Amino acid sequence: MWDVAKCNFCGDCFVQCRYVDYDREKAISEIKLLAAGKEADILKHCITCVACTEYCPTGADPSDLVFKMQEKTGTAPLVMNNMPVRESLAKGLEGQGDPVEFIPGDPDKPVLSLDSFEYKNFPEGTLGSRLFQGMTVVRGPQYMSLTGCVHMGGQSFVEKYAARVIGKLAELNKDIVYIHNEGYTLAHVKARELGIDVPFKYQHLFEYLLDYLKKNQRDITKLDKKVAVQVNCATRWLPGQDAWLDDIFRLIGVERPPRRYERRNALCCSGPVIGINREMAVDMQEKNVQDALDCGAEAMITICPICDAVMRRPTSRLGLPKLFITDLCRIALGEMAWPDK
Ligand code: SF4
Ligand code: SF4
């Protein structure tokens, strides 16, 4: 959450933003305008990648301020373009959209939350995999993780609906495993910032996979592959999750080759800009995949269903297999074969 008291107006956030070309003086003037509640040039260029929150050395959370101001002014292309989407999401959160879905499982196992995603947004066989066998599964608009609403000009959705979404999951009276890291972000970062109690235990998908793989090490065949990673925006709120991913890779014999666009320097999948600047989106996608190929990657993993859908076209066009993280683990466990190009 934006905290003006932590900001020293150094300008690092927007100097490092890869989607504008500001010198320090311009960056400082932009953050000062926003902090004063005024319109600023950055609002129309920001693609909501959340990276500046990771770049900020003081924890002031500048991307939150940008998203608040984008919603308040309503002038950014991304905000104007997505008004119907925001209205539809609000209806779903109010219980006027699709009903929630619930697949009952073993009472002793945790619940797998799919967020508001549909089953088809995950690779075929995901729910039938041994990874999630016997788990209760829930999905639907009322379980939406909310943090991604910033891509549509809906920063306020977190404040408005976080308690309701957490309450809906609490009704299940079970531990929760979030298959999408934005759900974990809502519980672990945003709810805390808003002082909302989370009355259940919860796990990030990577934590869950790591536990599962450690318990089933005898079934793992080391893959001996180089794999590039396409992280999503929520990673910026949870930089520590990279360490879990590195541990998963070590366990299954995968090398994450150093490349230009990763970790702090990762590129957004381009999902938020496809509807407003297709040319820019395609350019970002192809630079990203080419970079992975150039560093010797034999596949690229995704960790978010939106990134996964966005990266389908460029990875297929440039001949780099794309795998959702769960499928990479399933290959190591012998449930699937390594994909053809
Ligand atoms: S938000 Fe952070 S990076 Fe940006 S000006 Fe303030 S302290 Fe510097
Ligand atoms: S969220 Fe991303 S695009 Fe927006 S200002 Fe921050 S770094 Fe730039």
Side-chain angles (χ1 to χ4, degrees), residues 59 189 203 273 277 281 283:
V189 179
Q203 262 193 321
V273 281
N277 190 340
D283 183 57

Side-chain angles (χ1 to χ4, degrees), residues 2 6-14 31 52 55-62:
W2 165 245
K6 289 186 181 167
C7 178
N8 59 17
F9 297 98
C10 64
D12 278 1
C13 43
F14 302 151
I31 190 78
C52 51
Y55 303 152
C56 172
T58 66
D61 201 353

Side-chain angles (χ1 to χ4, degrees), residues 101-106 109-115 117-140 177-180 205 208 212 305 324 326-327 330 335-336:
E101 291 185 63
F102 180 87
I103 304 175
D106 184 335
K109 292 199 170 179
V111 169
L112 183 68
S113 171
L114 301 192
D115 198 320
F117 290 106
E118 297 184 34
Y119 302 125
K120 68 177 182 200
N121 296 131
F122 297 91
E124 206 181 322
T126 301
L127 298 185
S129 162
R130 58 182 280 179
L131 290 171
F132 305 117
Q133 215 160 35
M135 287 172 76
T136 298
V137 178
V138 292
R139 67 152 298 276
V177 175
Y178 288 108
I179 200 167
H180 186 218
L205 175 68
Y208 173 79
Y212 186 94
F324 199 69
T326 46
D327 275 359
R330 292 177 66 201
E335 271 194 355
M336 292 174 59

Side-chain angles (χ1 to χ4, degrees), residues 13-14 17-20 42 45-53 55 63 66-67:
C13 43
F14 302 151
C17 171
R18 64 170 63 251
Y19 306 102
V20 288
I42 188 78
H45 297 296
C46 169
I47 70 158
T48 63
C49 76
V50 195
C52 51
T53 281
Y55 303 152
S63 72
V66 175
F67 307 152

Side-chain angles (χ1 to χ4, degrees), residues 144-264:
M144 188 190 303
S145 55
L146 303 170
T147 54
C149 294
V150 297
H151 304 315
M152 300 140 204
Q155 187 275 349
S156 65
F157 277 42
V158 172
E159 281 155 47
K160 238 185 251 174
Y161 296 109
R164 193 183 294 221
V165 171
I166 298 285
K168 190 83 190 152
L169 286 167
E171 283 171 14
L172 301 167
N173 209 17
K174 305 251 262 172
D175 296 351
I176 303 292
V177 175
Y178 288 108
I179 200 167
H180 186 218
N181 64 359
E182 291 182 13
Y184 182 91
T185 306
L186 184 71
H188 199 71
V189 179
K190 300 294 175 180
R192 284 184 189 182
E193 288 175 352
L194 294 166
I196 296 168
D197 179 43
V198 181
F200 50 81
K201 286 190 189 152
Y202 54 86
Q203 262 193 321
H204 188 291
L205 175 68
F206 294 172
E207 278 181 296
Y208 173 79
L209 291 174
L210 204 48
D211 284 354
Y212 186 94
L213 293 167
K214 279 181 184 162
K215 282 183 197 141
N216 293 276
Q217 278 198 56
R218 276 183 309 181
D219 299 343
I220 295 173
T221 303
K222 302 257 185 188
L223 296 176
D224 192 23
K225 298 279 187 191
K226 289 185 178 178
V227 175
V229 178
Q230 174 60 45
V231 292
N232 66 341
C233 51
T235 307
R236 305 295 188 171
W237 286 299
L238 304 163
Q241 70 172 7
D242 248 350
W244 290 325
L245 190 58
D246 289 341
D247 286 345
I248 290 173
F249 273 24
R250 259 192 298 277
L251 268 176
I252 61 176
V254 166
E255 182 191 337
R256 184 172 173 177
R259 69 186 190 109
R260 182 172 176 200
Y261 299 129
E262 71 164 356
R263 302 191 195 256
R264 268 173 77 93

